[in-house]
Amino acid sequence: MARQLDEQLAARFPVGRRLRVLDVGMGRGAQALRLARAGHKVTGLESDPDLLKAAREALAHEPEGIRERFRAVEGDGRETGVHFLPGSFDVVLCHGALMYVEDRDAMLAGLARMLAPGGLLSLLVRNADALALRPGLAGDWDTALTAFDRDAYTDRLGLRVRGDRLASVTATLAGIAAPLHTWYGVRVFTDGAADDVQPPSGEELARLLAAEDRAGRTDPYRSVAALLHLCGVRGQ
């Protein structure tokens, strides 16, 4: 995911430019901190008090220069207009948050309004077209058969959430003047790994990441990824 995002930033903006980044639903702030370390000015928006606290604690251990470039704000991604002026950001991230929002299109429209002309909207959504794959590979045939006809599913935390289909999100992005520029698959080969399995290290991890990166940008593999990384660009 980070590789994909960096690829889009490098292709879209001049080298060395310090971007204004909004991370909506930043969680513990891993992606936001990574971009702040790279020199960008980052605002993280998070509604969960525990996650916000964790992000702020992580930020407290960073050097002063990074702390000055990072601002953590408590707030809901559906209310970006309350916190920020339209066109305030070059990049808006919303990774793994849309699946918990009932009115997806309204939230996307609000996110797009935060972008300056030519800005990048980066979304990470659960792939509704592949919901049957994980239970099917695990031999859970009842769940797999049900998943073919539904967009909702129960995640590993036991929460009922929604998947999104590529065609549907593409249509929404076109309608809010941030048409889809490119898209990737995320977690093609590794989605079925158990939660308690530790990832490999060293060369084995490098090979795993290389395989995931290749599959995430190659048809037909990316179409069955657990997650979709969609990049829209705000109209000039």
Side-chain angles (χ1 to χ4, degrees), residues 24-226:
V24 175
M26 69 167 174
R28 298 178 180 274
Q31 192 71 254
L33 279 172
R34 188 183 72 84
L35 292 172
R37 293 182 190 119
H40 304 301
K41 184 177 181 180
V42 182
T43 300
L45 188 66
E46 177 55 57
S47 60
D48 186 300
D50 292 334
L51 294 177
L52 186 64
K53 179 182 178 182
R56 286 173 170 162
E57 289 175 349
L59 179 63
H61 293 90
E62 296 290 332
E64 181 180 357
I66 295 174
R67 295 199 305 271
E68 290 176 348
R69 292 194 296 271
F70 187 103
R71 182 164 69 109
V73 177
E74 184 172 5
D76 195 304
R78 293 166 292 188
E79 300 172 348
T80 48
V82 174
H83 301 281
F84 315 108
L85 294 174
S88 296
F89 299 95
D90 303 302
V91 181
V92 172
L93 313 179
C94 185
H95 297 163
L98 278 177
M99 59 191 67
Y100 301 102
V101 176
E102 184 174 347
D103 193 346
R104 180 200 69 189
D105 291 359
M107 180 165 166
L108 285 176
L111 299 183
R113 282 193 292 271
M114 296 300 104
L115 284 170
L120 179 70
L121 178 60
S122 174
L123 308 172
L124 186 69
V125 303
R126 187 70 163 91
N127 183 8
D129 288 321
L131 290 179
L133 193 60
R134 183 194 293 168
L137 291 175
D140 183 354
W141 307 120
D142 289 338
T143 302
L145 288 168
T146 300
F148 282 110
D149 302 313
R150 295 183 182 176
D151 292 343
Y153 69 102
T154 301
D155 69 9
R156 289 177 172 177
L157 298 177
L159 300 175
R160 194 68 176 166
V161 291
R162 186 198 66 250
D164 290 298
R165 301 183 188 277
L166 176 63
S168 176
V169 182
T170 299
T172 297
L173 292 175
I176 60 174
L180 184 69
H181 174 67
T182 191
W183 66 280
Y184 307 86
V186 176
R187 288 193 349 218
V188 177
F189 300 125
T190 58
D191 186 58
D195 293 337
D196 57 352
V197 172
Q198 294 297 312
S201 59
E203 293 184 3
E204 184 68 12
L205 177 61
R207 287 193 291 268
L208 181 156
L209 294 174
E212 283 284 358
D213 182 65
R214 181 71 178 271
R217 61 183 71 238
T218 303
D219 291 323
Y221 304 101
R222 64 177 181 167
S223 298
V224 296

